[in-house]
Amino acid sequence: DLVDVAHATVLVRVDFNVPLQEGSIADDTRIRAALPTIESILERGGRVVLMSHLGRPGGKGHEPEFSLEPAATRLAELLGRPVAFPSNDCTDDDARRAVAGMADGDVVLLENLRFHPGEKKGDASFAGILVAGVDAYCNDAFGTAHRSDASMVATPTAMADRPCVAGRLLERELRYLGETIAAPERPFVAILGGAKVSDKLKTIRRLAGVVDTLVVGGAMAFTLLKAKGCAVGRSLVESDMVEEAGRMIEEVAASSTTLLLPSDFVCGAEPKAGTTTSISGTEIPDDMMGLDIGPESAERFAETVRAARTVVWNGPMGLFEVAPFDQGTRTVAEALAAATEAGGTTIVGGGDTASAVQGMGFGERVSHVSTGGGASLTMLEGGPMPAVEALDAT
């Protein structure tokens, strides 16, 4: 809102990296998340040029299965106005003519940026084509704010003479994940889950001594338990990380942070329903694998969360996509909702955790559901956010 966009063409980097099933959008959460920024520009008399990536195409030209055309169709339905999708190439003559011919209130969505190798390489010449004929740049793609892609860094760099600002979604993400974590109300609890401890090693080290309690669930807990000498059966373990996990446990123990690990599990002979058994204690039989935290652990974790004033959660507690291995994640989600209702601030990291919380109906019952899993982890780690640093200081 700080930039006068009347009669201006605003290039907006959005995150329309949505899941597709047979050419249709399976979840439009990320498109809906961009609406406040898009509508703000339109209501103030501006013209909106949107750019995004989708999936992981090879960077060698158009690949139909990664086209953003379904996103254009869905966005038009949500906005109640046409969204032009001019071409199969975000930089060709048809795309440039569509941008040059826009009138106030028009919306154009360019094709997948990653069809060009220059996007992932952060190429300045590719960025130069994208910024031709636009008056301002707006970054509203938190999900890729930790990356140095051309549309995230080279583009605002190429527009040093024009306004480059954060959109509504990016501002909200930075406020929750930045300001809240920098000055949390206590008790401050972090919950980490997911498959690999290697993905969250930096996060754990950064949070040691920062949070009051660090709760670890999901498959990553088995690498830590193995380091403690527990029997984990056929559970997922990163063997090359066991020694490092042991050192990390010692580091957390030497800090002011309490580490909570699971003490019971829901196990199966394989990761599917029908082979389920409950294991109390941390000795899992050789022929079984842990697929969810057990009821005792879930309640212990939930009790800690309900008493917290600030909670950050990144990573599910088990194989939540397959019942009954969703119960641990559900119990933690219920506790997050209770903490929110009691006046606490609760933040859910993106990716699988966001999918689980939204799918279980808790999305509206927590303070904030992030749109970016990797980006939210980077912020928790205190890592660089080059795309944010490239914007104008406000």
Side-chain angles (χ1 to χ4, degrees):
D1 292 354
L2 298 173
V3 178
D4 182 4
V5 297
H7 316 302
T9 302
V10 184
L11 182 63
V12 185
R13 179 39 160 113
V14 289
D15 182 6
F16 285 179
N17 186 25
V18 294
L20 296 176
Q21 287 181 353
E22 298 178 359
S24 296
I25 293 172
D27 181 356
D28 66 1
T29 300
R30 286 180 169 174
I31 298 176
R32 290 179 179 274
L35 292 177
T37 292
I38 297 168
E39 290 171 339
S40 171
I41 296 167
L42 296 173
E43 287 164 4
R44 292 181 290 134
R47 310 163 188 186
V48 178
V49 181
L50 301 167
M51 58 178 179
S52 178
H53 77 277
L54 191 154
R56 296 182 178 180
K60 298 176 181 177
H62 186 257
E63 296 180 43
E65 66 269 31
F66 294 114
S67 176
L68 278 165
E69 190 164 8
T73 302
R74 183 63 185 130
L75 179 61
E77 293 168 355
L78 292 169
L79 288 173
R81 70 172 73 204
V83 173
F85 189 75
S87 160
N88 288 335
D89 187 313
C90 60
T91 61
D92 69 5
D93 289 344
D94 288 339
R96 301 334 301 168
R97 274 194 294 269
V99 173
M102 294 176 77
D104 295 348
D106 283 356
V107 182
V108 169
L109 174 61
L110 302 176
E111 183 54 290
N112 195 334
L113 294 163
R114 287 188 181 172
F115 289 166
H116 279 262
E119 168 65 358
K120 290 293 288 176
K121 291 177 180 176
D123 186 75
S125 59
F126 174 63
I129 299 170
L130 294 173
V131 306
V134 302
D135 303 301
Y137 169 82
C138 175
N139 188 334
D140 213 27
F142 177 72
T144 47
H146 59 312
R147 303 193 185 280
S148 297
D149 296 352
S151 62
M152 303 297 292
V153 178
T155 299
T157 301
M159 293 184 62
D161 57 335
R162 287 161 278 180
C164 296
V165 298
R168 297 275 181 89
L169 173 63
L170 182 57
E171 282 183 340
R172 178 176 166 84
E173 294 273 18
L174 294 174
R175 185 173 74 250
Y176 269 104
L177 285 156
E179 295 174 13
T180 303
I181 293 166
E185 250 194 287
R186 295 188 181 273
F188 181 14
V189 174
I191 312 162
L192 298 179
K196 296 181 177 179
V197 71
S198 56
D199 290 344
K200 297 186 169 78
L201 192 65
K202 287 182 184 175
T203 310
I204 293 172
R205 290 208 151 109
R206 170 108 195 287
L207 293 176
V210 174
V211 299
D212 298 297
T213 306
L214 178 60
V215 175
V216 177
M220 64 180 281
F222 296 115
T223 301
L224 275 70
L225 289 166
K226 180 94 171 175
K228 287 170 68 72
C230 301
V232 297
R234 291 174 46 241
S235 306
L236 182 64
V237 170
E238 289 181 275
S239 299
D240 58 341
M241 290 297 298
V242 172
E243 193 175 322
E244 188 66 30
R247 283 195 290 270
M248 190 188 61
I249 290 168
E250 290 174 3
E251 288 170 25
V252 176
S255 75
S256 58
T257 297
T258 300
L259 176 64
L260 282 188
L261 291 171
S263 55
D264 65 327
F265 305 93
V266 178
C267 299
E270 52 187 323
K272 66 179 187 181
T275 61
T276 311
T277 186
S278 232
I279 302 291
S280 186
T282 53
E283 301 296 309
I284 297 173
D286 290 345
D287 61 342
M288 303 295 285
M289 59 175 64
L291 296 165
D292 191 16
I293 59 173
E296 176 190 298
S297 300
E299 184 47 45
R300 195 159 46 94
F301 290 3
E303 188 178 340
T304 300
V305 169
R306 285 192 294 266
R309 296 296 296 172
T310 306
V311 186
V312 179
W313 181 15
N314 194 301
M317 297 292 97
L319 188 68
F320 73 93
E321 301 93 339
V322 180
F325 310 120
D326 57 344
Q327 194 53 50
T329 299
R330 186 180 299 277
T331 300
V332 171
E334 287 170 347
L336 237 71
T340 314
E341 286 157 15
T345 300
T346 55
I347 302 166
V348 176
D352 287 343
T353 325
S355 298
V357 169
Q358 299 278 24
M360 291 174 181
F362 292 98
E364 301 298 318
R365 297 179 60 193
V366 297
S367 304
H368 180 66
V369 179
S370 178
T371 55
S376 63
L377 268 183
T378 299
M379 287 202 71
L380 280 176
E381 293 162 8
M385 301 288 278
V388 176
E389 292 157 16
L391 301 176
D392 298 343
T394 54

